[in-house]
Amino acid sequence: AGRGVTNTAIVYTSTRGDYMGQHGLLGVHPRLPYEGAIRTPLIVSGLAGQRQGERDDAAVSTADLAPTILSWAGGAGSCDGESVTARLLDGSAPWREASLTETGGGWTARSARAKRSEGLGAGRDLYFRLDSDPDETDNRYGRTADAEFASLGAAIDTRRSR
């Protein structure tokens, strides 16, 4: 028999950080949903049948952690988020296009291509095309009406109505 731990999954993630000069902000609590504040790592290892050595850019949220871990333990609960277990086992498993984050009293919907934030106060609604503006320097909110803008807005509206 080999040595080691069995039936154990290891999950690594982190909390968001303070801004370190990005967007002219230094040591500020991240109430504005720029990438440096809302993108956090999620690394999972040891899950039986899990894909190995692959990176997946699926739209996962920290709200997905509780239902994921509960599913591993054979439990269920009524909490926000969805279990990502099927995605960990099969990268082609269907998954949502955007993740939702509550930030600064408002909501942010983020896809691989864009990010839209509303309700942040003081007229700070945001829309960035991450595919062409990864540094988030061109806020296009109110200046665009592309399909991604509409799709992310619908995701925010659906969440608000819950």
Side-chain angles (χ1 to χ4, degrees):
R3 298 180 63 177
V5 178
T6 59
N7 292 332
T8 301
I10 298 168
V11 178
Y12 170 84
T13 190
S14 73
T15 186
R16 64 193 186 280
D18 290 340
Y19 294 110
M20 299 304 293
Q22 302 92 335
H23 303 282
L25 303 170
L26 182 60
V28 175
H29 186 273
R31 294 183 56 87
L32 295 174
Y34 291 114
E35 289 294 276
I38 67 169
R39 295 248 349 207
T40 58
L42 175 62
I43 300 170
V44 178
S45 179
L47 183 64
Q50 176 186 348
R51 297 176 294 141
Q52 299 294 313
E54 294 182 32
R55 178 185 171 133
D56 190 331
D57 288 325
V60 176
S61 168
T62 53
D64 299 323
L65 291 176
T68 299
I69 294 169
L70 280 170
S71 76
W72 297 344
S78 61
C79 49
D80 286 342
E82 301 174 43
S83 173
V84 298
T85 301
R87 186 72 187 199
L88 291 168
L89 300 176
D90 177 4
S92 64
W95 192 248
R96 64 181 171 244
E97 285 291 315
S99 63
L100 287 163
T101 305
E102 187 174 9
T103 30
W107 288 95
T108 296
R110 185 194 185 286
S111 71
R113 298 166 299 282
K115 178 171 43 182
R116 178 175 173 170
S117 302
E118 294 183 353
L120 304 175
R124 288 189 176 166
D125 292 334
L126 306 170
Y127 179 63
F128 297 105
R129 286 301 309 210
L130 301 172
D131 50 6
S132 60
D133 180 24
D135 294 328
E136 300 170 285
T137 58
D138 182 22
N139 181 6
R140 298 173 64 177
Y141 197 96
R143 295 187 293 126
T144 190
D146 63 26
E148 192 79 11
F149 181 81
S151 174
L152 294 174
I156 290 171
D157 290 343
T158 299
R159 181 62 177 108
R160 279 185 185 147
S161 67
R162 285 173 63 189

